[in-house]
Amino acid sequence: MITIYDWFGYEMPIKERYQLIKEAGFDGVLLWWSEDFGRNDYLNGPQIAQEAGLFIENIHTPIQNQNNLWLDNLDGEALTDCYLQCLADCAEFEIPTMVVHLPDEDNPHNALGLNRILRITEKAEQLGVNVALENLRNLTNLAYVLEQVDSLCIGFCYDCGHHYRYYPGNDLLSTYGSRLMALHLHDNNGSYAQHGLPFDGTIDWSITMKKIAETNYSGATAIEVMNWDYEDLSAKDFLHKAFERAKRLEALKH
């Protein structure tokens, strides 16, 4: 199965977006789950995606306030409530997984934050929804939570672009691969040094895909690419190119 982050760039109606994703060959989508970035109709996304014949692999929870999770104030509680609501939304729309950014390295974990994670874990287990924690510049917090929370519903979202940007010397897949629940595959080229099409940057994809295969991960080959350095391509052409690259990645897993 090959999936793509649904908000890959380009301004267009969401229905047309999903039709183009399906026509390019993708099996499913990763949905952005908030009104940020102009997504004021995100709650309609699941139905529109399903009508286009697309599987919804996961949702990405809001990131603007990600560092609030450890705070002993109303902002910290509000973010916890937001994640609990996202779990309920996943259950309602039959979406198996949600992706979460833990606070970054400037915001060290604490007992209150772990308690909130445990509340989220309890609800995830009740609802049967997975919570995939994504690696960014947050390895201390990520490692702590994965060590402290022994639940089949709490796992790892491996983002290869963030890996090589922030912790190129750490073997994240060998360390956390047994908890792998989701992938964000993109190359580290372009104006933001990330979210480029695979094989356009410097990531060694043969090594990356072999390591993913060794984890026994059975989920989708999911790419999280943006058109930031491909504006000369139409949305249709960009998607077709993205799908061809994703197929090459899939082939490297075998």
Side-chain angles (χ1 to χ4, degrees), residues 13-29:
I14 191 168
K15 198 167 184 177
E16 180 186 350
R17 178 179 296 277
Y18 290 156
Q19 286 169 344
L20 286 175
I21 289 172
K22 181 67 175 177
E23 287 166 9
F26 289 97
D27 302 298
V29 282

Side-chain angles (χ1 to χ4, degrees), residues 10-156:
Y10 304 96
E11 288 295 323
M12 70 181 84
I14 191 168
K15 198 167 184 177
E16 180 186 350
R17 178 179 296 277
Y18 290 156
Q19 286 169 344
L20 286 175
I21 289 172
K22 181 67 175 177
E23 287 166 9
F26 289 97
D27 302 298
V29 282
L30 325 177
L31 302 190
W32 183 261
W33 205 249
S34 82
E35 294 183 351
D36 300 317
F37 311 122
R39 292 299 301 272
N40 51 5
D41 56 354
Y42 74 95
L43 287 170
N44 296 319
Q47 182 179 347
I48 298 169
Q50 286 161 350
E51 287 171 354
L54 293 166
F55 165 71
I56 301 168
E57 186 191 356
N58 57 54
I59 64 169
H60 201 308
T61 60
I63 62 173
Q64 266 67 5
N65 301 312
Q66 64 192 40
N67 291 328
N68 291 351
L69 194 59
W70 308 151
L71 297 182
D72 187 6
N73 60 22
L74 291 175
D75 291 340
E77 280 301 304
L79 184 61
T80 308
D81 289 342
C82 169
Y83 291 153
L84 293 170
Q85 182 59 52
C86 287
L87 284 169
D89 292 343
C90 283
E92 178 183 348
F93 293 110
E94 299 182 349
I95 300 169
T97 303
M98 73 181 205
V99 174
V100 172
H101 287 187
L102 290 173
D104 64 28
E105 298 288 38
D106 301 326
N107 298 268
H109 54 77
N110 55 33
L112 173 64
L114 179 61
N115 190 46
R116 287 175 175 151
I117 293 285
L118 293 173
R119 280 167 58 197
I120 291 164
T121 303
E122 185 178 6
K123 182 153 187 177
E125 290 174 342
Q126 287 171 357
L127 296 175
V129 176
N130 290 326
V131 179
L133 306 173
E134 181 178 351
N135 60 289
L136 292 102
R137 193 178 65 84
N138 63 359
L139 190 54
T140 305
N141 289 324
L142 178 69
Y144 176 76
V145 171
L146 290 176
E147 285 163 11
Q148 294 293 319
V149 183
D150 182 19
S151 169
L152 293 175
C153 287
I154 303 295
F156 179 40

Side-chain angles (χ1 to χ4, degrees), residues 2 26 39 45 95 105 123 215 225 240 248 253:
I2 296 176
F26 289 97
R39 292 299 301 272
I95 300 169
E105 298 288 38
K123 182 153 187 177
T215 70
V225 292
H240 279 272
R248 284 172 63 186
K253 278 163 57 176

Side-chain angles (χ1 to χ4, degrees), residues 183-197:
L183 297 173
H184 285 171
L185 302 177
H186 52 100
D187 224 323
N188 57 343
N189 58 299
S191 48
Y192 292 87
Q194 57 184 327
H195 298 294
L197 291 172

